[in-house]
Amino acid sequence: MTRRPFIRAVLSLAAAAILTGGLPAVARAAPLPSGPGTNYATDDPFTAARTRWWRDDRFGMFIHFGAYSQLQGEYRRADGTTCRNAEWIQRQCQIPREEYEKLAAGFNPSGFDANAIARTAKAAGQKYVVITSKHHEGYAMWPTKVNQWNLRDHSSFDKNRDILAELKKATAEQGVRLGFYYSIWDWHDPDFPDPATFPRYKKRMYAQLKELVDNYHPAVLWFDGEWSTDRPNNPWTERDGEELEAYVRSLDPNIVLNNRVGKRRVVDGDTGTPEQEIPDQPVAGQLWESCMTLNGSWGYAAWDHDWKSSTELTRNLVSIASRSGNYLLNVGPDKLGRVPRESVDRLRQMGDWLRAHGQGNAVYGAGTPGVVAEPGWGVVSRKGDRLYASVYQWPTAGGSLELKTLAPFSVQSARVLGSGQRVRVEQGAGTLRVTPTGKPVNPIATVIELKIKTPPVTAPGNGTGLTAQFWPNADFSGEPTVTRTDPGVNYNWKFTGSPDPAIPAEAFSSRWTGNVVPRDSGEYTFTTVSDDTVRLWVNGKLVVDNTVPHGPAVHQGKVSLTAGQRYAIKLEQTERGGEASMKLLWSSPNTPQQIIPAAQLHPAS
Ligand code: FHN
């Protein structure tokens, strides 16, 4: 380990010591990586064992709970006027700091029942829970030693209770994982807004994150509040994100991180975070999770009765799963810590649908079908050799459901989950017609399971990777300083890293050459995640071409390939300054999105 990471690790320990009145427990943190040769991409989130549970579980509970909950969405001013908001109420209603602190001092969520919340998540079929440990208000929901602005030291709550510890125990008993939301943007810490004092805030933030990881072992850290804004100014930068991601990974390399650890980009963290929306197709380059509210508010708002129906919510979940995404659905407990009945009821109805007739197979462990296009009458997800057609609009008697096929396969059997009715299947050129002969099983979505057979894999792959060459300049001039075999192209060098210790972090160029051998035949989508420039040739065809220096960006191109055949591949990237990254992924009708594995790559002869 070079000296720099060691020094930094000692400094972070010392910083934590100063802020916590004593050296914290021996840091489990490995040294923070940095400098030439550092690759911040620790694995491929699409296939890593680390993210397997997250990719399979598909459905989580979000909980927004903080001092703001005390107001239940409405602030009555001294002049008698009222102002409405939920978790942003302090800022949007311009509540003076001293008054807000006085309100928080009365916060007493005595009705917070971790077991009830865990049971609600279980009944909903939610496999993980992410609760706000600290929202923008800066108020910590655990007995942090970093400051007094927290539920233990600044409330009317029982001083012997720790709701995060209670929730950790209760979720574990239900077999549900627990994660924490943590807002970078902090309205309360006086050192936050000024870039000159911001480092002091960061040290406190790091110390709090170490408390959360050491004391509660979260499966997820869901960062937020990373965007540039005012009231107060938010100095957070991409470099801060680089450091924070490395720090969290040093505390616990298994934690799943969202992209708001940085600046909400495809190169930040493990998962993209579309909010209050559902992408209309699978997202390229990064895992993704849609977070949404059950009504219109994240925090509790007594006046917000705009509850979504369980039909809409369940269809959201199934549609998201059919595009290989996760659904993080929010509850906002009231000032006593109770989850609204309207939330509990809808979540249970979702769980009832998931548990009925094995319909949950259309969600858990399922993803994009690959071999058929998304229809207009519902969605299709795939789990192994099963397609799950979740039908929202059931055909009229005798009517059929049409599917456009994208690759060859045969249907071995078809059945309606929860019904013994016959299902006719007719395959045509590029089409599949499915004709049920009975009524739908339920009004939310009736699922037709198709057992399919795809052409056998004829080329399991015995490759070792691609020939990689790197130059300490941005124009491939002269002989490469480094030539080696790379098992794949999965690099996130960010600001301080580079392909090799011999290659400087600024101004370098990279080239990978060799052959790619597809496991099965079909139209492959090649996806690059690059910074600053990228060109990709497959079988002599320029598939991706963007030599205009850019920040982290996704580019795609399609090529039809035949299983077992060798296709020449060449990939070029240059770094002109700032951040750098280069990932090469692919997907096909029978290959979900992944970093192209070494087994399918052969070095240039
Ligand atoms: O400002 C927050 C908001 O209060 C809420 O926490 C959502 C949930 O993802 N995130 C931010 C808005 O993007």
Side-chain angles (χ1 to χ4, degrees), residues 62 64 87-88 132 135-136 181 185 187 222 224-227 260 264 273 275 291 298-299:
F62 215 172
H64 274 69
E87 73 285 353
W88 279 56
T132 50
H135 205 265
H136 309 330
Y181 165 112
W185 193 27
W187 301 340
W222 210 98
D224 201 11
E226 84 294 338
W227 58 89
R260 302 184 191 186
R264 218 179 285 204
T273 51
E275 179 171 318
C291 60
W298 296 103

Side-chain angles (χ1 to χ4, degrees), residues 401-415:
L401 299 163
E402 302 288 334
L403 280 168
K404 180 185 174 196
T405 59
L406 304 175
F409 66 92
S410 60
V411 178
Q412 309 293 297
S413 64
R415 67 187 180 107

